PDB file of all heavy atoms in Angstrom:
ATOM      1  N   LEU A   1      38.983  63.589  44.492  1.00  0.00           N
ATOM      2  CA  LEU A   1      38.690  64.839  45.200  1.00  0.00           C
ATOM      3  C   LEU A   1      39.761  65.209  46.228  1.00  0.00           C
ATOM      4  O   LEU A   1      39.959  66.400  46.502  1.00  0.00           O
ATOM      5  CB  LEU A   1      37.334  64.719  45.899  1.00  0.00           C
ATOM      6  CG  LEU A   1      36.139  64.440  44.983  1.00  0.00           C
ATOM      7  CD1 LEU A   1      34.847  64.355  45.786  1.00  0.00           C
ATOM      8  CD2 LEU A   1      36.024  65.516  43.914  1.00  0.00           C
ATOM      9  N   GLY A   2      40.405  64.203  46.800  1.00  0.00           N
ATOM     10  CA  GLY A   2      41.428  64.510  47.805  1.00  0.00           C
ATOM     11  C   GLY A   2      42.604  65.306  47.247  1.00  0.00           C
ATOM     12  O   GLY A   2      42.918  66.405  47.739  1.00  0.00           O
ATOM     13  N   PRO A   3      43.294  64.802  46.220  1.00  0.00           N
ATOM     14  CA  PRO A   3      44.374  65.599  45.625  1.00  0.00           C
ATOM     15  C   PRO A   3      43.904  66.928  45.047  1.00  0.00           C
ATOM     16  O   PRO A   3      44.648  67.921  45.055  1.00  0.00           O
ATOM     17  CB  PRO A   3      44.929  64.682  44.532  1.00  0.00           C
ATOM     18  CG  PRO A   3      44.576  63.302  44.984  1.00  0.00           C
ATOM     19  CD  PRO A   3      43.256  63.439  45.659  1.00  0.00           C
ATOM     20  N   GLY A   4      42.669  66.965  44.538  1.00  0.00           N
ATOM     21  CA  GLY A   4      42.158  68.235  44.011  1.00  0.00           C
ATOM     22  C   GLY A   4      42.010  69.287  45.098  1.00  0.00           C
ATOM     23  O   GLY A   4      42.328  70.467  44.880  1.00  0.00           O
ATOM     24  N   LEU A   5      41.514  68.879  46.281  1.00  0.00           N
ATOM     25  CA  LEU A   5      41.411  69.833  47.383  1.00  0.00           C
ATOM     26  C   LEU A   5      42.777  70.280  47.861  1.00  0.00           C
ATOM     27  O   LEU A   5      42.977  71.470  48.187  1.00  0.00           O
ATOM     28  CB  LEU A   5      40.636  69.176  48.533  1.00  0.00           C
ATOM     29  CG  LEU A   5      40.504  69.996  49.811  1.00  0.00           C
ATOM     30  CD1 LEU A   5      39.739  71.298  49.561  1.00  0.00           C
ATOM     31  CD2 LEU A   5      39.823  69.176  50.910  1.00  0.00           C
ATOM     32  N   ALA A   6      43.736  69.365  47.898  1.00  0.00           N
ATOM     33  CA  ALA A   6      45.073  69.734  48.363  1.00  0.00           C
ATOM     34  C   ALA A   6      45.779  70.687  47.403  1.00  0.00           C
ATOM     35  O   ALA A   6      46.529  71.574  47.829  1.00  0.00           O
ATOM     36  CB  ALA A   6      45.918  68.476  48.554  1.00  0.00           C
ATOM     37  N   LEU A   7      45.542  70.560  46.114  1.00  0.00           N
ATOM     38  CA  LEU A   7      46.231  71.390  45.127  1.00  0.00           C
ATOM     39  C   LEU A   7      45.555  72.738  44.912  1.00  0.00           C
ATOM     40  O   LEU A   7      46.215  73.774  44.801  1.00  0.00           O
ATOM     41  CB  LEU A   7      46.324  70.641  43.796  1.00  0.00           C
ATOM     42  CG  LEU A   7      47.257  69.424  43.770  1.00  0.00           C
ATOM     43  CD1 LEU A   7      47.162  68.721  42.426  1.00  0.00           C
ATOM     44  CD2 LEU A   7      48.699  69.833  44.056  1.00  0.00           C
ATOM     45  N   ARG A   8      44.217  72.756  44.855  1.00  0.00           N
ATOM     46  CA  ARG A   8      43.505  73.980  44.477  1.00  0.00           C
ATOM     47  C   ARG A   8      42.753  74.625  45.639  1.00  0.00           C
ATOM     48  O   ARG A   8      42.053  75.611  45.424  1.00  0.00           O
ATOM     49  CB  ARG A   8      42.524  73.656  43.346  1.00  0.00           C
ATOM     50  CG  ARG A   8      43.191  73.188  42.080  1.00  0.00           C
ATOM     51  CD  ARG A   8      42.194  73.097  40.944  1.00  0.00           C
ATOM     52  NE  ARG A   8      41.178  72.090  41.217  1.00  0.00           N
ATOM     53  CZ  ARG A   8      41.276  70.815  40.873  1.00  0.00           C
ATOM     54  NH1 ARG A   8      42.356  70.386  40.239  1.00  0.00           N
ATOM     55  NH2 ARG A   8      40.311  69.962  41.152  1.00  0.00           N
ATOM     56  N   GLY A   9      42.872  74.071  46.818  1.00  0.00           N
ATOM     57  CA  GLY A   9      42.151  74.630  47.957  1.00  0.00           C
ATOM     58  C   GLY A   9      42.855  75.848  48.547  1.00  0.00           C
ATOM     59  O   GLY A   9      43.959  76.227  48.134  1.00  0.00           O
ATOM     60  N   PRO A  10      42.233  76.448  49.530  1.00  0.00           N
ATOM     61  CA  PRO A  10      42.850  77.608  50.193  1.00  0.00           C
ATOM     62  C   PRO A  10      44.029  77.188  51.064  1.00  0.00           C
ATOM     63  O   PRO A  10      44.416  76.018  51.119  1.00  0.00           O
ATOM     64  CB  PRO A  10      41.693  78.178  51.029  1.00  0.00           C
ATOM     65  CG  PRO A  10      40.797  77.017  51.270  1.00  0.00           C
ATOM     66  CD  PRO A  10      40.901  76.149  50.065  1.00  0.00           C
ATOM     67  N   ASP A  11      44.571  78.149  51.775  1.00  0.00           N
ATOM     68  CA  ASP A  11      45.713  77.879  52.647  1.00  0.00           C
ATOM     69  C   ASP A  11      45.301  76.930  53.773  1.00  0.00           C
ATOM     70  O   ASP A  11      44.294  77.147  54.456  1.00  0.00           O
ATOM     71  CB  ASP A  11      46.239  79.189  53.232  1.00  0.00           C
ATOM     72  CG  ASP A  11      47.556  78.996  53.948  1.00  0.00           C
ATOM     73  OD1 ASP A  11      48.207  77.942  53.740  1.00  0.00           O
ATOM     74  OD2 ASP A  11      47.935  79.881  54.749  1.00  0.00           O
ATOM     75  N   GLY A  12      46.097  75.883  53.968  1.00  0.00           N
ATOM     76  CA  GLY A  12      45.779  74.882  54.978  1.00  0.00           C
ATOM     77  C   GLY A  12      44.924  73.737  54.462  1.00  0.00           C
ATOM     78  O   GLY A  12      44.544  72.851  55.246  1.00  0.00           O
ATOM     79  N   SER A  13      44.612  73.738  53.178  1.00  0.00           N
ATOM     80  CA  SER A  13      43.760  72.673  52.639  1.00  0.00           C
ATOM     81  C   SER A  13      44.493  71.343  52.522  1.00  0.00           C
ATOM     82  O   SER A  13      43.848  70.289  52.466  1.00  0.00           O
ATOM     83  CB  SER A  13      43.212  73.096  51.270  1.00  0.00           C
ATOM     84  OG  SER A  13      44.277  73.360  50.367  1.00  0.00           O
ATOM     85  N   MET A  14      45.829  71.366  52.487  1.00  0.00           N
ATOM     86  CA  MET A  14      46.584  70.122  52.424  1.00  0.00           C
ATOM     87  C   MET A  14      46.328  69.272  53.663  1.00  0.00           C
ATOM     88  O   MET A  14      46.077  68.064  53.567  1.00  0.00           O
ATOM     89  CB  MET A  14      48.075  70.417  52.283  1.00  0.00           C
ATOM     90  CG  MET A  14      48.971  69.183  52.365  1.00  0.00           C
ATOM     91  SD  MET A  14      48.761  68.026  50.992  1.00  0.00           S
ATOM     92  CE  MET A  14      49.682  68.895  49.725  1.00  0.00           C
ATOM     93  N   HIS A  15      46.365  69.875  54.830  1.00  0.00           N
ATOM     94  CA  HIS A  15      46.108  69.138  56.071  1.00  0.00           C
ATOM     95  C   HIS A  15      44.655  68.625  56.105  1.00  0.00           C
ATOM     96  O   HIS A  15      44.403  67.496  56.532  1.00  0.00           O
ATOM     97  CB  HIS A  15      46.378  70.046  57.271  1.00  0.00           C
ATOM     98  CG  HIS A  15      47.757  70.631  57.277  1.00  0.00           C
ATOM     99  ND1 HIS A  15      48.890  69.895  57.567  1.00  0.00           N
ATOM    100  CD2 HIS A  15      48.193  71.894  57.012  1.00  0.00           C
ATOM    101  CE1 HIS A  15      49.968  70.668  57.492  1.00  0.00           C
ATOM    102  NE2 HIS A  15      49.567  71.901  57.158  1.00  0.00           N
ATOM    103  N   GLN A  16      43.729  69.457  55.654  1.00  0.00           N
ATOM    104  CA  GLN A  16      42.332  69.042  55.635  1.00  0.00           C
ATOM    105  C   GLN A  16      42.107  67.878  54.674  1.00  0.00           C
ATOM    106  O   GLN A  16      41.364  66.932  54.991  1.00  0.00           O
ATOM    107  CB  GLN A  16      41.453  70.223  55.231  1.00  0.00           C
ATOM    108  CG  GLN A  16      39.967  69.930  55.240  1.00  0.00           C
ATOM    109  CD  GLN A  16      39.138  71.139  54.832  1.00  0.00           C
ATOM    110  OE1 GLN A  16      39.695  72.218  54.560  1.00  0.00           O
ATOM    111  NE2 GLN A  16      37.834  70.974  54.788  1.00  0.00           N
ATOM    112  N   ALA A  17      42.768  67.912  53.514  1.00  0.00           N
ATOM    113  CA  ALA A  17      42.618  66.843  52.537  1.00  0.00           C
ATOM    114  C   ALA A  17      43.208  65.528  53.050  1.00  0.00           C
ATOM    115  O   ALA A  17      42.593  64.460  52.917  1.00  0.00           O
ATOM    116  CB  ALA A  17      43.281  67.238  51.222  1.00  0.00           C
ATOM    117  N   VAL A  18      44.391  65.587  53.664  1.00  0.00           N
ATOM    118  CA  VAL A  18      45.032  64.368  54.163  1.00  0.00           C
ATOM    119  C   VAL A  18      44.239  63.771  55.318  1.00  0.00           C
ATOM    120  O   VAL A  18      44.014  62.553  55.379  1.00  0.00           O
ATOM    121  CB  VAL A  18      46.483  64.659  54.573  1.00  0.00           C
ATOM    122  CG1 VAL A  18      47.100  63.434  55.248  1.00  0.00           C
ATOM    123  CG2 VAL A  18      47.308  65.049  53.363  1.00  0.00           C
ATOM    124  N   ASP A  19      43.777  64.605  56.250  1.00  0.00           N
ATOM    125  CA  ASP A  19      42.986  64.095  57.375  1.00  0.00           C
ATOM    126  C   ASP A  19      41.664  63.492  56.909  1.00  0.00           C
ATOM    127  O   ASP A  19      41.236  62.444  57.399  1.00  0.00           O
ATOM    128  CB  ASP A  19      42.726  65.236  58.366  1.00  0.00           C
ATOM    129  CG  ASP A  19      44.013  65.737  59.020  1.00  0.00           C
ATOM    130  OD1 ASP A  19      45.000  64.966  59.043  1.00  0.00           O
ATOM    131  OD2 ASP A  19      44.027  66.899  59.486  1.00  0.00           O
ATOM    132  N   GLY A  20      41.023  64.146  55.928  1.00  0.00           N
ATOM    133  CA  GLY A  20      39.779  63.604  55.394  1.00  0.00           C
ATOM    134  C   GLY A  20      39.987  62.294  54.651  1.00  0.00           C
ATOM    135  O   GLY A  20      39.190  61.355  54.792  1.00  0.00           O
ATOM    136  N   MET A  21      41.062  62.205  53.888  1.00  0.00           N
ATOM    137  CA  MET A  21      41.341  60.962  53.175  1.00  0.00           C
ATOM    138  C   MET A  21      41.678  59.826  54.136  1.00  0.00           C
ATOM    139  O   MET A  21      41.298  58.666  53.912  1.00  0.00           O
ATOM    140  CB  MET A  21      42.505  61.171  52.193  1.00  0.00           C
ATOM    141  CG  MET A  21      42.151  61.971  50.963  1.00  0.00           C
ATOM    142  SD  MET A  21      43.441  61.916  49.711  1.00  0.00           S
ATOM    143  CE  MET A  21      43.358  60.210  49.202  1.00  0.00           C
ATOM    144  N   MET A  22      42.359  60.149  55.224  1.00  0.00           N
ATOM    145  CA  MET A  22      42.688  59.131  56.208  1.00  0.00           C
ATOM    146  C   MET A  22      41.421  58.523  56.820  1.00  0.00           C
ATOM    147  O   MET A  22      41.295  57.297  56.965  1.00  0.00           O
ATOM    148  CB  MET A  22      43.560  59.745  57.311  1.00  0.00           C
ATOM    149  CG  MET A  22      44.071  58.750  58.327  1.00  0.00           C
ATOM    150  SD  MET A  22      44.967  59.586  59.671  1.00  0.00           S
ATOM    151  CE  MET A  22      46.192  60.506  58.747  1.00  0.00           C
ATOM    152  N   LEU A  23      40.464  59.368  57.149  1.00  0.00           N
ATOM    153  CA  LEU A  23      39.221  58.894  57.746  1.00  0.00           C
ATOM    154  C   LEU A  23      38.369  58.111  56.748  1.00  0.00           C
ATOM    155  O   LEU A  23      37.880  57.008  57.051  1.00  0.00           O
ATOM    156  CB  LEU A  23      38.440  60.085  58.304  1.00  0.00           C
ATOM    157  CG  LEU A  23      37.084  59.771  58.947  1.00  0.00           C
ATOM    158  CD1 LEU A  23      37.257  58.865  60.152  1.00  0.00           C
ATOM    159  CD2 LEU A  23      36.385  61.067  59.338  1.00  0.00           C
ATOM    160  N   GLU A  24      38.200  58.652  55.566  1.00  0.00           N
ATOM    161  CA  GLU A  24      37.357  57.996  54.578  1.00  0.00           C
ATOM    162  C   GLU A  24      38.003  56.727  54.024  1.00  0.00           C
ATOM    163  O   GLU A  24      37.297  55.779  53.653  1.00  0.00           O
ATOM    164  CB  GLU A  24      37.055  58.960  53.424  1.00  0.00           C
ATOM    165  CG  GLU A  24      36.213  60.162  53.813  1.00  0.00           C
ATOM    166  CD  GLU A  24      34.834  59.746  54.292  1.00  0.00           C
ATOM    167  OE1 GLU A  24      34.326  58.694  53.828  1.00  0.00           O
ATOM    168  OE2 GLU A  24      34.260  60.469  55.125  1.00  0.00           O
ATOM    169  N   TYR A  25      39.323  56.690  54.002  1.00  0.00           N
ATOM    170  CA  TYR A  25      39.993  55.480  53.532  1.00  0.00           C
ATOM    171  C   TYR A  25      39.744  54.315  54.488  1.00  0.00           C
ATOM    172  O   TYR A  25      39.563  53.173  54.058  1.00  0.00           O
ATOM    173  CB  TYR A  25      41.491  55.724  53.383  1.00  0.00           C
ATOM    174  CG  TYR A  25      42.278  54.473  53.118  1.00  0.00           C
ATOM    175  CD1 TYR A  25      42.229  53.856  51.866  1.00  0.00           C
ATOM    176  CD2 TYR A  25      43.058  53.894  54.125  1.00  0.00           C
ATOM    177  CE1 TYR A  25      42.942  52.692  51.626  1.00  0.00           C
ATOM    178  CE2 TYR A  25      43.766  52.731  53.888  1.00  0.00           C
ATOM    179  CZ  TYR A  25      43.705  52.135  52.646  1.00  0.00           C
ATOM    180  OH  TYR A  25      44.398  50.976  52.413  1.00  0.00           O
TER     181      TYR A  25
END
């Protein structure tokens, strides 16, 4: 789900995906 949000999400979703993956990891 992390790479999927970064690739297909809206503008700024890359930062949201990386921050979320950092916390959940």
Side-chain angles (χ1 to χ4, degrees):
L1 300 181
L5 176 62
L7 291 176
R8 297 189 296 270
D11 190 16
S13 59
M14 174 66 77
H15 304 287
Q16 183 180 359
V18 173
D19 295 338
M21 286 191 68
M22 185 185 305
L23 179 62
E24 294 297 330
Y25 171 74

